Amino acid sequence: MGPTRQAYLLLLVALACSASLLILSTNYPWYPSALAGVQWVGPVNRPHLEHSLLFNLPQSEGNRSEQVEDGEESATDRCTPVRHFAFVKTHKCASDTLAVHLMRIVEERGLEMVTPVGEWNLHWPSAPGDFYRSRKPSGRFDATALHMMYHRRTWSQFMEPDTRYFGVLREPLAQFKSYFNYFGLWRRMNEKHGVPVSDTFDTFLNNPKPYLEVRGWQNPMAVDFGFVNGETKFAEFLQTIVEEMDLMLISDYFDESMLLLRHEFCWPMSDVIYKTKNVAKVYRYGEKEIPPDVRKAQESRYAEFAKMDHALFKHFNATFWQKIQKIPRFHEELTQYRSVLAQTSEFCQKNPDENSAVTIQGTELHESILLDRELCQGLSRGIFQHIKLIQSRYNQTSPKYGKVFPAT
């Protein structure tokens, strides 16, 4: 091949790469600068992703699904589906949607789940407790999906040995704004300290100390993973979570997260069909959406206040995209997945009867999917309906643990 032809081919390759990056920059503006040098990179236009990782830690294990060439069987055809899983349910990270989704799988597969004796809480924010004993001969559980303070040594005593542990994170400021609204921090500041409701969030960010009445108000995502503000060492904690979590999803990219979960857990696409739950349309203390310059100022102040949450997010946001990069034809599959979600939503909105059913044709990237009334009913249940359904397996005399799971 002559020099002229080689130069021409190199130019074509460069143009193709530029076009790909342009598409990615449109679809994934939050792709982190921490992955500079990786081929699949789009420009960053979000301030909370403009800094490198806070701690230089070894990267998590890569995607357990190996890459395959086009035309070969998919990775999920060659792996073993995960049956034992433990979900660390972080507050205000789309975790209700994930929990409901996981409980549907628990019901369909007859799995033994850590089930609360009370309405829904597994003694959070204290040590795990208040749940029924497993009915399995091993005395262990297949799954957990509800709010329960994470502590690996404790959890490993009642979960199966081959359990896969995973969680979900959200861009820290967005998570805290939702947390601030949901737990009524604005109300406490207004009633106890006389701060006008519309000023509560900015007042808090300007000087949080006078209002720190609950330990979970600072670094709330890290607290769900067992972090204790003022006591736990930052680097050690992050190192521990990196080592102990098999997977971390990012709720800001929920569809991508569900597809990543499918590949990591070797589940069929029908197992990652979901319906969004418990999303606040408005915040009672102020506007949910704010101008970019106001958000940038809030991000800067919140980053100083919640350093541990930012460290978690920045590290796992980077590894999230590294895992996705290893999945062949991911964008093509994502398009098909969103089509499946749309078709499912359209079918279920028609309130199908027991004789109604539609099959979504399978492709090279996913199996055929049956849409029927049972699936729609499972998707329509709220979190409390799912809990009550699973609680119906037990009765008043069923063995249970008290306020604290006994350590051994």
Side-chain angles (χ1 to χ4, degrees), residues 121-130 147-151 154-155 215 223-224 403-405:
N121 199 329
L122 295 164
H123 209 219
W124 182 95
S126 300
D130 275 343
H147 285 303
M148 180 167 59
M149 189 63 74
Y150 176 72
H151 186 260
T154 301
W155 285 33
R215 70 171 184 169
V223 166
D224 284 330
K403 291 293 184 183
V404 179
F405 178 80

Side-chain angles (χ1 to χ4, degrees), residues 30 168-172 174 250-254 256-257 313 317:
W30 290 22
V168 60
L169 297 172
R170 183 179 180 182
E171 188 277 311
I250 302 295
S251 70
D252 308 273
Y253 291 103
F254 199 82
E256 290 86 346
S257 288
F313 181 79
N317 182 59

Side-chain angles (χ1 to χ4, degrees), residues 22 88 114 122 141 154 200 217 219 271 316 324 344 384 389:
L22 178 61
V88 182
V114 180
L122 295 164
F141 294 94
T154 301
T200 52
W217 288 20
N219 296 303
D271 274 356
F316 284 109
I324 284 179
T344 303
F384 294 113
L389 190 60

Side-chain angles (χ1 to χ4, degrees), residues 15 26 46-47 57 65-66 114-115 132 138 162 174 179-180 189 198 226 236 239 278 280 301 321-322 389 395 399 402:
L15 290 172
T26 302
R46 295 279 186 156
L57 295 171
S65 301
E66 298 177 11
V114 180
T115 305
Y132 291 102
S138 67
D162 63 346
Y179 190 92
F180 194 89
M189 291 175 64
S198 59
E236 290 181 6
Q239 179 75 52
N278 195 21
R301 284 177 287 166
W321 292 107
Q322 288 172 344
L389 190 60
N395 56 50

Side-chain angles (χ1 to χ4, degrees), residues 82-86 111-114 134-144 152 154-165 246:
V82 170
R83 183 176 173 84
H84 303 138
F85 53 87
L111 303 181
E112 191 77 358
M113 189 185 94
V114 180
S134 173
R135 300 166 301 165
K136 294 172 60 177
S138 67
R140 293 176 177 270
F141 294 94
D142 302 313
T144 183
R152 183 57 171 267
T154 301
W155 285 33
S156 64
Q157 293 176 52
F158 52 77
M159 298 303 299
E160 290 289 356
D162 63 346
T163 294
R164 297 285 295 278
Y165 290 80
D246 294 297

Side-chain angles (χ1 to χ4, degrees), residues 172-173 175-181 183-190 193-220 229 285 297-307 309-310:
L173 180 63
Q175 187 270 345
F176 187 67
K177 288 173 71 73
S178 180
Y179 190 92
F180 194 89
N181 178 70
F183 284 103
L185 277 64
W186 55 272
R187 183 185 295 110
R188 298 189 194 189
M189 291 175 64
N190 173 255
H193 301 277
V195 181
V197 170
S198 59
D199 294 339
T200 52
F201 192 72
D202 273 327
T203 300
F204 184 91
L205 291 185
N206 286 334
N207 185 18
K209 287 186 178 180
Y211 315 108
L212 290 179
E213 302 169 6
V214 180
R215 70 171 184 169
W217 288 20
Q218 186 173 13
N219 296 303
N229 287 296
Y285 61 86
Q298 289 182 349
E299 285 173 348
S300 177
R301 284 177 287 166
Y302 189 61
E304 286 297 314
F305 173 65
K307 292 180 180 179
D309 273 5
H310 281 77

